[in-house]
Amino acid sequence: MRSQPSSSRPAGGRTADGAAPDDIRPTVDSEITWLLHRAAQRLRNATGEQAEAHGIQLRDYIILSALELDSSLTQIELSASLGLDKTTLMNQLGRLERMGLIVRSVDPRDARARIPKNTQAGSELRARVAHACERVESAMLDGFTEQDVSTFRRMLFDIIGDTHDKGSCL
């Protein structure tokens, strides 16, 4: 029952007006992986737009959110939990620190390690972006019942599980 992503173009690869198509469009019969990928793209783009409207990047928002969830992570632990290489994370943390959104302190367990934490400004900005993202997410899910959304969340969680994924979430 699996099918390839469907296209809105006629044979020959061109649209009715002769132009090359912008993209291939999925259908309800498309592979679940394809549908999840496209849904994630839309949500990622919408979330990124909200972060940018508040003066930060999507990656900044995700880092601030991770630090809000667990303020005891070292930079290396944060890197592993987000699936980001250390160099990329250190650059992002440096940027966030210069913006006054995080501070880094010495880990009392290991003087060589640093623990980044959100500042009050960082927590407040993250909360504003989160609120804006919730509105966008709600608008995208507006045609579904609360039960549909709850079932969808449970299904996604069941697919993902509660294990650490080595892949990047960014």
Side-chain angles (χ1 to χ4, degrees):
M1 178 144 179
R2 294 182 185 239
S3 65
Q4 293 298 320
S6 167
S7 168
S8 59
R9 63 184 165 197
R14 300 277 173 187
T15 60
D17 62 3
D22 290 335
D23 63 342
I24 298 174
R25 290 179 173 76
T27 68
V28 73
D29 294 327
S30 295
E31 293 179 356
I32 289 174
T33 302
W34 175 260
L35 295 172
L36 285 171
H37 172 72
R38 293 306 299 261
Q41 277 181 323
R42 287 199 60 209
L43 285 166
R44 188 180 315 109
N45 289 341
T47 303
E49 288 172 6
Q50 297 308 307
E52 289 170 11
H54 288 82
I56 61 174
Q57 301 169 356
L58 175 59
R59 189 175 280 165
D60 298 332
Y61 169 62
I62 291 172
I63 291 168
L64 292 171
S65 294
L67 294 175
E68 197 75 21
L69 289 172
D70 189 345
S71 62
S72 68
L73 295 174
T74 66
Q75 294 174 149
I76 300 303
E77 292 165 339
L78 179 62
S79 171
S81 73
L82 295 177
L84 270 177
D85 67 84
K86 290 179 258 186
T87 302
T88 300
L89 179 65
M90 297 312 147
N91 286 335
Q92 291 293 136
L93 290 175
R95 199 169 94 67
L96 290 168
E97 193 168 38
R98 287 188 299 279
M99 294 172 73
L101 301 175
I102 69 158
V103 293
R104 292 186 265 191
S105 59
V106 175
D107 182 352
R109 301 167 293 177
D110 181 353
R112 297 167 296 173
R114 299 289 177 266
I115 298 176
K117 294 185 186 216
N118 290 347
T119 62
Q120 183 174 344
S123 291
E124 290 171 358
L125 178 61
R126 190 216 61 81
R128 287 192 303 274
V129 175
H131 185 66
C133 290
E134 287 170 12
R135 286 193 312 267
V136 168
E137 185 179 292
S138 291
M140 285 186 173
L141 298 172
D142 189 45
F144 300 97
T145 67
E146 285 185 37
Q147 182 62 43
D148 289 340
V149 174
S150 177
T151 299
F152 183 57
R153 285 181 187 278
R154 192 190 80 253
M155 290 171 66
L156 290 174
F157 183 78
D158 287 348
I159 291 169
I160 296 165
D162 63 354
T163 60
H164 286 277
D165 185 353
K166 292 185 178 13
S168 174
C169 68
L170 307 176

